[in-house]
Amino acid sequence: AYECFRVAFLDSCGNISIQSIEHKTIYLSATFDVCATTASLVWNQYINMNSPVSQYQIFKRVNTGPFTLLATNTAPDIDYVDTGLALGNNYCYFVRAANGTKTSSSNRVCDTLNVLQPPLFTYNRYATVLSDKEILITAHVDTAGKSVKSYKLLRATGTSGSFDSIATLLPPAASTLSYNDKSVSTNINSYSYRWDAMDSCAHVIMTSNLGTTMLLKGEIAPNLDITLTWNDYGDWMGNTNRYDIYRAVDGVWEPSPFITYSYTGSGRTHTDDVSLFINSKGIFSYKVVAFEGAGNIYGFADSSTSNIAKIYEYPKIYVPNCFTPNGDNMNDIFIPVIGFIEPSSYTLRIFDNTGTPAFTSTNPAEGWDGKKKKHPCQEGVYMYVINCKASNGDNSQVSGTVSLIR
């Protein structure tokens, strides 16, 4: 509280003079609002300064720094609100009354804007693709951080998009926190996630590392190749160690990765030669699995899987332009070489020069021996028509001529 003083003089004979007028000190009080991050200052007026008080100067110190002038109030204004304080800092204030020649200072008030025990860690373990419409995000959180009232999960598209809140979760009983994001298109975009630990005032008191999914893309290249590209996974405490690439042919996944790449920090590219699978339907699926390296202080060695990139190869049809069905076992059969088609859709038809059908087959492995109804056909030029469906369902037709030579 403030104090009041009067001054009187005592002479050598013990006589007391008339008392001076009363002077009242300044008493400063402050209310600190953790949620609003403000300090509301109120003080009483200084009374009876010789020449009235014209202003009140408000001084502020942050942590161990010096006191600096924060603001000046014109008397008799005796309150002030300091805004934008930062959690964890210690703030001290005092007020000085001044009339131009004389001053009087108040008491000091200090406090630290703090929350309850903050968390020691909020670690984003991994973000992994589960399907073309779902990503699983898992965090490792400090359950001893009593100041945490909720965890907010934020998502951005790619690594440069703006973050938006997509979910708010209560603190878990154990240290694992997970969320399934089902509002994604993993075949189109990569996504970055982070966790914000929130206090009861809705302040962010800790932010996790990012978890950025891999976007795998594939495209048909020349020479029976398929080119794969993907971005790096980010960001593990143990960094990324390697990438394993898995392949499925016509929907059947190979049991182990067919190639492994080390981490470079700039994404990866791989060219897959699929000529060995020419007799398949031509449906190729790929996924990349990233593995965390050593160095995670929490003991984790996690992994993250990309989206599945599915590529439909175009039909490959190679047709000879002549054959010699003379029984010498050399080039006796006219048979197109067919690859990457739906076998049940295949039809080969042969017509003579009058347009009369000479041969028909629905078996890609069956060729024409140069006969019609078991009778040898004459030498000449015959027309063929091949119909089939590509692995993606598109119809394909190839026609031309072949010379029968005896």
Side-chain angles (χ1 to χ4, degrees):
Y2 62 82
E3 295 180 335
C4 296
F5 295 89
R6 290 177 185 269
V7 178
F9 296 97
L10 181 67
D11 65 16
S12 59
C13 296
N15 299 314
I16 300 176
S17 69
I18 298 173
Q19 295 181 5
S20 70
I21 61 173
E22 182 179 88
H23 285 251
K24 183 187 293 184
T25 62
I26 306 171
Y27 178 72
L28 172 64
S29 63
T31 302
F32 291 85
D33 189 329
V34 174
C35 291
T37 61
T38 61
S40 298
L41 309 178
V42 178
W43 60 94
N44 61 282
Q45 294 192 54
Y46 187 93
I47 302 299
N48 290 330
M49 184 177 285
N50 188 9
S51 294
V53 172
S54 60
Q55 63 183 19
Y56 292 99
Q57 300 167 339
I58 304 133
F59 289 83
K60 172 184 177 180
R61 182 180 72 191
V62 181
N63 297 322
T64 59
F67 276 99
T68 58
L69 181 64
L70 172 63
T72 300
N73 282 14
T74 302
D77 190 0
I78 55 171
D79 60 73
Y80 182 81
V81 178
D82 189 16
T83 61
L85 307 184
L87 295 178
N89 283 343
N90 178 264
Y91 295 94
C92 289
Y93 302 88
F94 74 87
V95 174
R96 177 179 293 165
N99 66 0
T101 57
K102 299 181 179 66
T103 63
S104 176
S105 297
S106 73
N107 58 304
R108 296 180 180 182
V109 291
C110 300
D111 201 358
T112 300
L113 256 69
N114 236 333
V115 293
L116 297 174
Q117 181 181 355
L120 296 177
F121 54 86
T122 301
Y123 175 63
N124 198 355
R125 287 184 55 184
Y126 57 83
T128 186
V129 174
L130 299 183
S131 72
D132 59 342
K133 296 294 183 183
E134 187 174 4
I135 293 173
L136 172 64
I137 310 97
T138 297
H140 178 56
V141 298
D142 181 15
T143 56
K146 302 304 181 184
S147 59
V148 179
K149 299 304 177 184
S150 64
Y151 288 92
K152 185 178 291 186
L153 179 62
L154 298 96
R155 180 187 67 202
T157 301
T159 57
S160 59
S162 59
F163 279 89
D164 297 308
S165 175
I166 61 170
T168 300
L169 284 72
L170 295 176
S175 61
T176 298
L177 191 65
S178 293
Y179 181 79
N180 291 71
D181 184 7
K182 298 182 180 181
S183 299
V184 290
S185 297
T186 61
N187 288 332
I188 299 175
N189 296 310
S190 167
Y191 296 93
S192 294
Y193 295 89
R194 78 163 192 252
W195 297 89
D196 284 350
M198 314 294 293
D199 66 11
S200 58
C201 301
H203 294 147
V204 178
I205 54 178
M206 182 171 282
T207 295
S208 76
N209 56 305
L210 294 184
T212 302
T213 62
M214 294 176 290
L215 173 61
L216 174 63
K217 295 181 179 180
E219 60 181 16
I220 297 173
N223 303 319
L224 295 177
D225 288 339
I226 293 175
T227 300
L228 303 174
T229 57
W230 67 94
N231 61 287
D232 283 313
Y233 180 85
D235 298 310
W236 276 316
M237 186 175 290
N239 294 317
T240 302
N241 174 259
R242 73 179 195 276
Y243 298 105
D244 287 355
I245 310 179
Y246 289 81
R247 176 178 57 203
V249 181
D250 295 345
V252 180
W253 287 96
E254 298 171 359
S256 57
F258 71 94
I259 195 167
T260 294
Y261 279 99
S262 59
Y263 173 78
T264 64
S266 58
R268 297 294 327 202
T269 299
H270 174 73
T271 299
D272 187 25
D273 179 1
V274 296
S275 59
L276 293 177
F277 306 100
I278 188 69
N279 292 324
S280 72
K281 296 179 182 180
I283 305 174
F284 295 92
S285 300
Y286 299 88
K287 63 183 178 183
V288 176
V289 181
F291 291 89
E292 183 177 7
N296 190 304
I297 63 174
Y298 305 116
F300 298 119
D302 288 316
S303 63
S304 174
T305 302
S306 74
N307 60 302
I308 293 176
K310 184 174 285 189
I311 295 91
Y312 297 90
E313 272 282 5
Y314 301 124
K316 300 297 188 289
I317 303 174
Y318 305 97
V319 185
N321 58 10
C322 65
F323 73 119
T324 57
N326 54 15
D328 63 357
N329 294 321
M330 296 179 62
N331 200 23
D332 283 339
I333 304 295
F334 169 73
I335 183 169
V337 178
I338 307 292
F340 302 144
I341 67 165
E342 173 57 55
S344 62
S345 68
Y346 174 81
T347 301
L348 168 64
R349 291 175 294 167
I350 308 292
F351 301 89
D352 62 20
N353 57 7
T354 66
T356 302
F359 175 79
T360 299
S361 176
T362 58
N363 182 0
E366 181 184 16
W368 181 39
D369 60 2
K371 295 179 181 179
K372 177 181 179 181
K373 296 181 179 180
K374 299 183 180 181
H375 297 289
C377 293
Q378 296 180 348
E379 281 192 339
V381 177
Y382 292 79
M383 180 179 179
Y384 64 82
V385 177
I386 300 170
N387 290 95
C388 60
K389 281 188 176 182
S391 54
N392 64 356
D394 290 345
N395 290 314
S396 182
Q397 184 181 81
V398 176
S399 62
T401 59
V402 57
S403 296
L404 189 159
I405 301 172
R406 294 193 183 277

